[in-house]
Amino acid sequence: MENNMEKNIQFSLEFHYEFYDDSIHVMDARSFNFCELQLLKAIEELQKYVGEAKIEVGIEKRAEGSLIETIILTLENLSESKAFIALLTAFLTYFFTKKRSKLEDVNKRLEILDKIKKADLTKEEALALIGKDPILKKLISSYYNRLAEQNEVKSVAVKGKHEDVQFANASIESVDFKTHIVEEREAKQVYMGTTLGVCSPVLISGHGKKWKGIFNGKVIEFAVEDKSFLQQVYHNDFKFGSTTTLKCDLVEKTKVLNDNFQEIIGEPTYAVIKVDEVNDNEHFQRFTKRYRKQEADARQLDLFDEKLS
């Protein structure tokens, strides 16, 4: 018989919003609801770290004393609470104190995830995992960005409890909210004259589907923005087979958190902005109309230069 029986385990997270005026016990409803939503999304995001255990989130009746909200987490089928307490402690400590300038350099993510399963997680490893999670950082950034607009809020204090035993305690002053606010920017890279394998072309206009192809050994979805090439495709000027490739200019766009770690958020998006050549199954090279026009224009310029000389 196993020692660690799976069971439902409950945790409470208390968020105390302190105001400059002690007599105030309310906050703008839209701002509060927005902040609450970011918190709940961030807490639910911890699900990816607990394997098969399921996180259920509930909210207790709000109390006065400035404004106090208690979020109840119930983990279903959790065999061991120690590692999850370490994660929650790291979550509350990292995001509800002034942001640290540097985290411990613990980058072996898979090893850390394995330690969570074995309930053998150090404080430094938990902080590294939480503090470098781009989705968590984006959600908490949105939380503080909105909260910073509430001039009456002086600070936020948090407590974590399990079976009436406090395992975490942290607080952050409003002047330090900005240390957790990060900007999101778009990074763009253009691959000129690259080769892109075509797995699934879109041969009919108007339904908005993306093409599928192979780029750098990986299957990607991509939009095609070369209208001249698309007109040729829709007029069946090209035949696509299992080894058809395009010689093209490909744009890769990624969303990046503009902080010390420059984490990428989500998956890159791709778009073909110019197609020069199409190679079919027999490796017969065909130029697109755009490419042939460019070549013709270039030859005309060469002839003009020769006449001038």
Side-chain angles (χ1 to χ4, degrees):
M1 183 175 179
E2 294 183 2
N3 293 327
N4 290 336
M5 294 185 63
E6 293 183 345
K7 56 183 178 179
N8 294 351
I9 301 176
Q10 200 167 80
F11 304 86
S12 68
L13 308 180
E14 181 183 283
F15 297 84
H16 184 173
Y17 297 87
E18 185 179 359
F19 302 137
Y20 287 100
D21 185 344
D22 291 338
S23 65
I24 294 178
H25 303 293
V26 295
M27 190 192 303
D28 176 75
R30 291 186 182 88
S31 295
F32 182 83
N33 290 339
F34 178 87
C35 291
E36 180 181 69
L37 179 61
Q38 307 314 302
L39 269 183
L40 294 177
K41 285 182 176 179
I43 291 168
E44 289 173 346
E45 192 64 27
L46 298 177
Q47 176 69 61
K48 64 190 176 190
Y49 297 126
V50 295
E52 296 180 359
K54 185 180 178 183
I55 298 177
E56 295 289 344
V57 182
I59 297 176
E60 277 192 352
K61 184 179 178 182
R62 297 183 183 107
E64 292 186 355
S66 289
L67 179 63
I68 300 173
E69 177 179 39
T70 302
I71 296 176
I72 303 297
L73 306 185
T74 302
L75 265 77
E76 299 178 358
N77 301 322
L78 184 69
S79 59
E80 174 56 60
S81 62
K82 181 181 175 182
F84 188 68
I85 288 175
L87 273 177
L88 278 181
T89 302
F91 175 79
L92 297 176
T93 303
Y94 183 79
F95 288 120
F96 290 91
T97 55
K98 183 178 179 180
K99 186 177 178 181
R100 301 177 179 208
S101 59
K102 185 180 179 182
L103 284 172
E104 293 292 328
D105 188 19
V106 183
N107 295 313
K108 297 180 180 179
R109 182 182 177 86
L110 291 177
E111 289 184 17
I112 296 175
L113 292 175
D114 187 55
K115 285 194 169 190
I116 293 174
K117 294 178 183 178
K118 296 176 180 177
D120 180 24
L121 191 67
T122 68
K123 178 181 176 182
E124 290 75 19
E125 288 166 339
L127 280 171
L129 196 65
I130 294 297
K132 292 184 180 180
D133 186 314
I135 298 176
L136 286 178
K137 291 173 77 170
K138 182 182 177 183
L139 289 167
I140 295 299
S141 175
S142 297
Y143 168 85
Y144 280 119
N145 199 37
R146 189 63 168 267
L147 194 60
E149 297 173 359
Q150 309 309 302
N151 295 326
E152 70 273 18
V153 177
K154 180 182 179 182
S155 64
V156 182
V158 296
K159 295 178 182 177
K161 292 183 179 179
H162 171 53
E163 296 180 345
D164 294 326
V165 176
Q166 184 172 300
F167 61 83
N169 186 10
S171 64
I172 183 169
E173 299 291 322
S174 58
V175 69
D176 294 322
F177 290 172
K178 62 180 180 291
T179 65
H180 286 287
I181 297 173
V182 292
E183 294 180 359
E184 185 180 314
R185 64 178 177 83
E186 185 177 80
K188 182 169 74 171
Q189 183 167 355
V190 181
Y191 300 91
M192 307 288 289
T194 193
T195 299
L196 178 61
V198 178
C199 299
S200 177
V202 178
L203 305 178
I204 302 173
S205 175
H207 49 57
K209 288 185 178 180
K210 290 190 175 183
W211 294 47
K212 287 185 179 180
I214 298 176
F215 176 64
N216 283 345
K218 182 177 73 173
V219 177
I220 65 168
E221 289 191 346
F222 60 94
V224 177
E225 298 176 358
D226 186 334
K227 293 181 179 179
S228 174
F229 168 70
L230 285 176
Q231 287 302 314
Q232 288 187 267
V233 171
Y234 299 150
H235 285 99
N236 296 317
D237 290 354
F238 304 112
K239 301 297 181 185
F240 292 90
S242 60
T243 59
T244 301
T245 60
L246 308 177
K247 183 179 179 183
C248 60
D249 294 348
L250 180 70
V251 176
E252 178 187 64
K253 294 180 181 179
T254 52
K255 290 183 178 180
V256 179
L257 287 182
N258 200 22
D259 67 354
N260 293 337
F261 300 110
Q262 302 288 307
E263 293 100 335
I264 294 174
I265 308 170
E267 293 295 320
T269 61
Y270 297 90
V272 170
I273 56 174
K274 183 165 74 75
V275 180
D276 289 332
E277 303 173 14
V278 179
N279 295 298
D280 65 16
N281 293 351
E282 298 173 355
H283 307 290
F284 175 74
Q285 183 170 290
R286 288 185 248 182
F287 298 111
T288 62
K289 287 181 179 179
R290 177 198 288 271
Y291 181 82
R292 290 201 296 268
K293 184 177 184 304
Q294 288 175 340
E295 289 295 292
D297 290 345
R299 285 195 294 271
Q300 289 282 23
L301 286 173
D302 289 341
L303 289 172
F304 182 72
D305 291 339
E306 287 176 7
K307 287 179 181 179
L308 287 179
S309 61

PDB file of all heavy atoms in Angstrom, residues 10 32 52 108 111 148 161 173 215 232 234 246 268 273:
ATOM      1  N   GLN A  10      -6.415  21.903   0.630  1.00  0.00           N
ATOM      2  CA  GLN A  10      -6.893  23.266   0.494  1.00  0.00           C
ATOM      3  C   GLN A  10      -5.874  24.275   1.026  1.00  0.00           C
ATOM      4  O   GLN A  10      -5.204  24.042   2.021  1.00  0.00           O
ATOM      5  CB  GLN A  10      -8.222  23.428   1.235  1.00  0.00           C
ATOM      6  CG  GLN A  10      -9.036  24.628   0.772  1.00  0.00           C
ATOM      7  CD  GLN A  10     -10.458  24.582   1.289  1.00  0.00           C
ATOM      8  OE1 GLN A  10     -10.704  24.931   2.446  1.00  0.00           O
ATOM      9  NE2 GLN A  10     -11.386  24.129   0.461  1.00  0.00           N
ATOM     10  N   PHE A  32     -10.973  46.801  -9.611  1.00  0.00           N
ATOM     11  CA  PHE A  32     -10.830  45.654  -8.715  1.00  0.00           C
ATOM     12  C   PHE A  32     -11.102  44.346  -9.457  1.00  0.00           C
ATOM     13  O   PHE A  32     -10.350  43.376  -9.319  1.00  0.00           O
ATOM     14  CB  PHE A  32     -11.772  45.783  -7.521  1.00  0.00           C
ATOM     15  CG  PHE A  32     -11.638  44.648  -6.541  1.00  0.00           C
ATOM     16  CD1 PHE A  32     -10.639  44.662  -5.581  1.00  0.00           C
ATOM     17  CD2 PHE A  32     -12.483  43.550  -6.595  1.00  0.00           C
ATOM     18  CE1 PHE A  32     -10.493  43.607  -4.683  1.00  0.00           C
ATOM     19  CE2 PHE A  32     -12.344  42.492  -5.707  1.00  0.00           C
ATOM     20  CZ  PHE A  32     -11.341  42.527  -4.749  1.00  0.00           C
ATOM     21  N   GLU A  52      -0.885  16.030 -12.825  1.00  0.00           N
ATOM     22  CA  GLU A  52      -2.266  15.573 -12.916  1.00  0.00           C
ATOM     23  C   GLU A  52      -3.172  16.163 -11.836  1.00  0.00           C
ATOM     24  O   GLU A  52      -4.392  16.065 -11.927  1.00  0.00           O
ATOM     25  CB  GLU A  52      -2.304  14.044 -12.834  1.00  0.00           C
ATOM     26  CG  GLU A  52      -1.598  13.362 -14.003  1.00  0.00           C
ATOM     27  CD  GLU A  52      -1.635  11.850 -13.901  1.00  0.00           C
ATOM     28  OE1 GLU A  52      -2.190  11.354 -12.904  1.00  0.00           O
ATOM     29  OE2 GLU A  52      -1.117  11.177 -14.812  1.00  0.00           O
ATOM     30  N   LYS A 108      17.731  24.975 -15.381  1.00  0.00           N
ATOM     31  CA  LYS A 108      17.423  23.607 -15.788  1.00  0.00           C
ATOM     32  C   LYS A 108      15.961  23.300 -15.488  1.00  0.00           C
ATOM     33  O   LYS A 108      15.607  22.630 -14.514  1.00  0.00           O
ATOM     34  CB  LYS A 108      18.358  22.626 -15.078  1.00  0.00           C
ATOM     35  CG  LYS A 108      19.820  22.841 -15.459  1.00  0.00           C
ATOM     36  CD  LYS A 108      20.731  21.857 -14.739  1.00  0.00           C
ATOM     37  CE  LYS A 108      22.184  22.074 -15.116  1.00  0.00           C
ATOM     38  NZ  LYS A 108      23.088  21.138 -14.410  1.00  0.00           N
ATOM     39  N   GLU A 111      14.643  19.693 -14.974  1.00  0.00           N
ATOM     40  CA  GLU A 111      15.076  19.116 -13.695  1.00  0.00           C
ATOM     41  C   GLU A 111      14.233  19.664 -12.546  1.00  0.00           C
ATOM     42  O   GLU A 111      13.873  18.939 -11.620  1.00  0.00           O
ATOM     43  CB  GLU A 111      16.550  19.424 -13.457  1.00  0.00           C
ATOM     44  CG  GLU A 111      17.493  18.646 -14.367  1.00  0.00           C
ATOM     45  CD  GLU A 111      18.942  18.896 -14.031  1.00  0.00           C
ATOM     46  OE1 GLU A 111      19.205  19.409 -12.916  1.00  0.00           O
ATOM     47  OE2 GLU A 111      19.812  18.599 -14.867  1.00  0.00           O
ATOM     48  N   ALA A 148      -1.866  50.384 -10.030  1.00  0.00           N
ATOM     49  CA  ALA A 148      -1.109  51.629  -9.845  1.00  0.00           C
ATOM     50  C   ALA A 148      -1.954  52.864 -10.146  1.00  0.00           C
ATOM     51  O   ALA A 148      -1.627  53.975  -9.706  1.00  0.00           O
ATOM     52  CB  ALA A 148       0.142  51.612 -10.723  1.00  0.00           C
ATOM     53  N   LYS A 161      -1.912  30.313   3.661  1.00  0.00           N
ATOM     54  CA  LYS A 161      -2.147  29.397   4.781  1.00  0.00           C
ATOM     55  C   LYS A 161      -2.540  28.019   4.275  1.00  0.00           C
ATOM     56  O   LYS A 161      -3.194  27.890   3.240  1.00  0.00           O
ATOM     57  CB  LYS A 161      -3.249  29.932   5.696  1.00  0.00           C
ATOM     58  CG  LYS A 161      -2.886  31.181   6.466  1.00  0.00           C
ATOM     59  CD  LYS A 161      -4.021  31.587   7.403  1.00  0.00           C
ATOM     60  CE  LYS A 161      -3.670  32.833   8.201  1.00  0.00           C
ATOM     61  NZ  LYS A 161      -4.792  33.227   9.096  1.00  0.00           N
ATOM     62  N   GLU A 173       4.740  47.944  -1.321  1.00  0.00           N
ATOM     63  CA  GLU A 173       4.231  49.306  -1.271  1.00  0.00           C
ATOM     64  C   GLU A 173       3.878  49.771  -2.685  1.00  0.00           C
ATOM     65  O   GLU A 173       4.466  49.307  -3.667  1.00  0.00           O
ATOM     66  CB  GLU A 173       5.283  50.243  -0.669  1.00  0.00           C
ATOM     67  CG  GLU A 173       5.681  49.914   0.759  1.00  0.00           C
ATOM     68  CD  GLU A 173       4.559  50.184   1.744  1.00  0.00           C
ATOM     69  OE1 GLU A 173       3.826  51.176   1.577  1.00  0.00           O
ATOM     70  OE2 GLU A 173       4.413  49.374   2.690  1.00  0.00           O
ATOM     71  N   PHE A 215      10.038  24.952 -41.980  1.00  0.00           N
ATOM     72  CA  PHE A 215      11.083  25.970 -41.950  1.00  0.00           C
ATOM     73  C   PHE A 215      12.055  25.620 -40.822  1.00  0.00           C
ATOM     74  O   PHE A 215      11.635  25.396 -39.679  1.00  0.00           O
ATOM     75  CB  PHE A 215      10.476  27.358 -41.721  1.00  0.00           C
ATOM     76  CG  PHE A 215      11.490  28.450 -41.590  1.00  0.00           C
ATOM     77  CD1 PHE A 215      12.311  28.781 -42.661  1.00  0.00           C
ATOM     78  CD2 PHE A 215      11.635  29.150 -40.395  1.00  0.00           C
ATOM     79  CE1 PHE A 215      13.256  29.794 -42.545  1.00  0.00           C
ATOM     80  CE2 PHE A 215      12.575  30.148 -40.271  1.00  0.00           C
ATOM     81  CZ  PHE A 215      13.391  30.475 -41.351  1.00  0.00           C
ATOM     82  N   GLN A 232      -1.430  33.873 -59.028  1.00  0.00           N
ATOM     83  CA  GLN A 232      -0.945  32.737 -59.816  1.00  0.00           C
ATOM     84  C   GLN A 232      -1.391  31.407 -59.206  1.00  0.00           C
ATOM     85  O   GLN A 232      -1.752  30.471 -59.917  1.00  0.00           O
ATOM     86  CB  GLN A 232       0.579  32.782 -59.923  1.00  0.00           C
ATOM     87  CG  GLN A 232       1.100  33.881 -60.843  1.00  0.00           C
ATOM     88  CD  GLN A 232       2.595  33.765 -61.024  1.00  0.00           C
ATOM     89  OE1 GLN A 232       3.357  34.394 -60.295  1.00  0.00           O
ATOM     90  NE2 GLN A 232       3.014  32.975 -61.992  1.00  0.00           N
ATOM     91  N   TYR A 234      -4.115  30.901 -57.370  1.00  0.00           N
ATOM     92  CA  TYR A 234      -5.549  30.746 -57.562  1.00  0.00           C
ATOM     93  C   TYR A 234      -5.908  30.439 -59.013  1.00  0.00           C
ATOM     94  O   TYR A 234      -6.970  29.868 -59.291  1.00  0.00           O
ATOM     95  CB  TYR A 234      -6.284  32.011 -57.105  1.00  0.00           C
ATOM     96  CG  TYR A 234      -6.083  32.343 -55.636  1.00  0.00           C
ATOM     97  CD1 TYR A 234      -6.119  33.665 -55.180  1.00  0.00           C
ATOM     98  CD2 TYR A 234      -5.837  31.344 -54.692  1.00  0.00           C
ATOM     99  CE1 TYR A 234      -5.932  33.972 -53.840  1.00  0.00           C
ATOM    100  CE2 TYR A 234      -5.633  31.644 -53.352  1.00  0.00           C
ATOM    101  CZ  TYR A 234      -5.682  32.963 -52.936  1.00  0.00           C
ATOM    102  OH  TYR A 234      -5.498  33.267 -51.616  1.00  0.00           O
ATOM    103  N   LEU A 246       9.356  26.844 -51.756  1.00  0.00           N
ATOM    104  CA  LEU A 246       9.339  28.233 -52.196  1.00  0.00           C
ATOM    105  C   LEU A 246      10.665  28.887 -51.849  1.00  0.00           C
ATOM    106  O   LEU A 246      11.192  28.670 -50.752  1.00  0.00           O
ATOM    107  CB  LEU A 246       8.215  29.019 -51.510  1.00  0.00           C
ATOM    108  CG  LEU A 246       6.798  28.468 -51.545  1.00  0.00           C
ATOM    109  CD1 LEU A 246       5.865  29.377 -50.751  1.00  0.00           C
ATOM    110  CD2 LEU A 246       6.307  28.305 -52.972  1.00  0.00           C
ATOM    111  N   PRO A 268       5.908  32.069 -32.234  1.00  0.00           N
ATOM    112  CA  PRO A 268       6.119  33.065 -33.293  1.00  0.00           C
ATOM    113  C   PRO A 268       5.034  32.963 -34.366  1.00  0.00           C
ATOM    114  O   PRO A 268       4.406  31.915 -34.536  1.00  0.00           O
ATOM    115  CB  PRO A 268       7.487  32.677 -33.878  1.00  0.00           C
ATOM    116  CG  PRO A 268       8.115  31.760 -32.893  1.00  0.00           C
ATOM    117  CD  PRO A 268       6.999  31.079 -32.172  1.00  0.00           C
ATOM    118  N   ILE A 273       6.331  37.407 -47.432  1.00  0.00           N
ATOM    119  CA  ILE A 273       6.027  38.708 -48.026  1.00  0.00           C
ATOM    120  C   ILE A 273       6.409  38.779 -49.508  1.00  0.00           C
ATOM    121  O   ILE A 273       5.933  39.659 -50.224  1.00  0.00           O
ATOM    122  CB  ILE A 273       6.723  39.838 -47.252  1.00  0.00           C
ATOM    123  CG1 ILE A 273       8.240  39.604 -47.183  1.00  0.00           C
ATOM    124  CG2 ILE A 273       6.125  39.963 -45.854  1.00  0.00           C
ATOM    125  CD1 ILE A 273       9.001  40.772 -46.540  1.00  0.00           C
TER     126      ILE A 273
END
